[in-house]
Amino acid sequence: MIRTIIFAVALTLVLAACGEQTPGYPARQAPAGVLTDAAQIAAGRTLFHDKCATCHGHPDEGRSPRADFFQPPASDFSSPAYRTADPAYLFWRIEVGKTVEPYLSRGSVMPSWRGLSDEEIWQLVAYLRARAG
Ligand code: HEC
């Protein structure tokens, strides 16, 4: 009996931890070709340079030392993990930034980019995936 309770508590804790790592986000399909099209990736690069590089690092810098100034730090998009990151997740994070949990209560400084068009956000997603090491 005790073992069953301990197991149930452990399972609940593990599930809670997992849930926090992968919050729900809406399924979205990138328009055909956008993620691999050179012109879209180049447009994403320009947007990234203008709006994101101050925190996430200039493309030619790899990663800016400023990234660690934030707590939590600005994500390192030169990491190979972003090559295969779910485009729908990246789209959602760019759209909502720090305005949703758990990022809000962690003290994230990631702005919400709702002001950008869907096309621009997909261009950024394409660039982040192409940029990854
Ligand atoms: C003011 C600094 C700042 C700016 C500007 C900024 N970000 Fe962020 N961003 C952060 C921080 C800090 C995090 C890590 C905390 C978090 O996940 O909210 C982050 C997280 C992210 C994530 C989630 C990464 C992951 O692995 O979960 C994405 C995607 C992202 N940023 C994309 C962008 C894009 C695209 C732009 C430009 C349009 C941008 N950011 C501009 C600070 C910034």
Side-chain angles (χ1 to χ4, degrees):
M1 180 62 185
I2 288 285
R3 273 191 182 176
T4 313
I5 292 172
I6 290 172
F7 179 75
V9 169
L11 189 66
T12 309
L13 290 177
V14 167
L15 289 176
C18 291
E20 202 189 331
Q21 274 169 13
T22 51
Y25 54 91
R28 266 198 196 91
Q29 194 65 48
V34 165
L35 297 179
T36 48
D37 184 88
Q40 303 288 335
I41 293 170
R45 184 184 192 282
T46 305
L47 283 167
F48 184 87
H49 212 89
D50 285 356
K51 303 179 190 302
C52 325
T54 39
C55 293
H56 287 285
H58 286 276
D60 43 6
E61 290 172 351
R63 189 163 190 252
S64 153
R66 284 182 298 267
D68 286 320
F69 175 77
F70 305 110
Q71 230 23 264
S75 318
D76 177 6
F77 293 125
S78 65
S79 156
Y82 288 101
R83 192 162 278 282
T84 51
D86 183 359
Y89 171 74
L90 295 176
F91 187 107
W92 176 70
R93 282 312 314 282
I94 296 168
E95 190 181 39
V96 299
K98 66 185 169 196
T99 63
V100 294
E101 293 298 350
Y103 314 104
L104 188 61
S105 47
R106 282 184 193 158
S108 170
V109 295
M110 167 67 186
S112 152
W113 296 95
R114 280 186 202 284
L116 297 179
S117 66
D118 281 13
E119 187 189 10
E120 288 171 316
I121 298 183
W122 283 123
Q123 289 168 344
L124 282 162
V125 170
Y127 176 67
L128 291 185
R129 284 165 50 98
R131 178 184 192 257

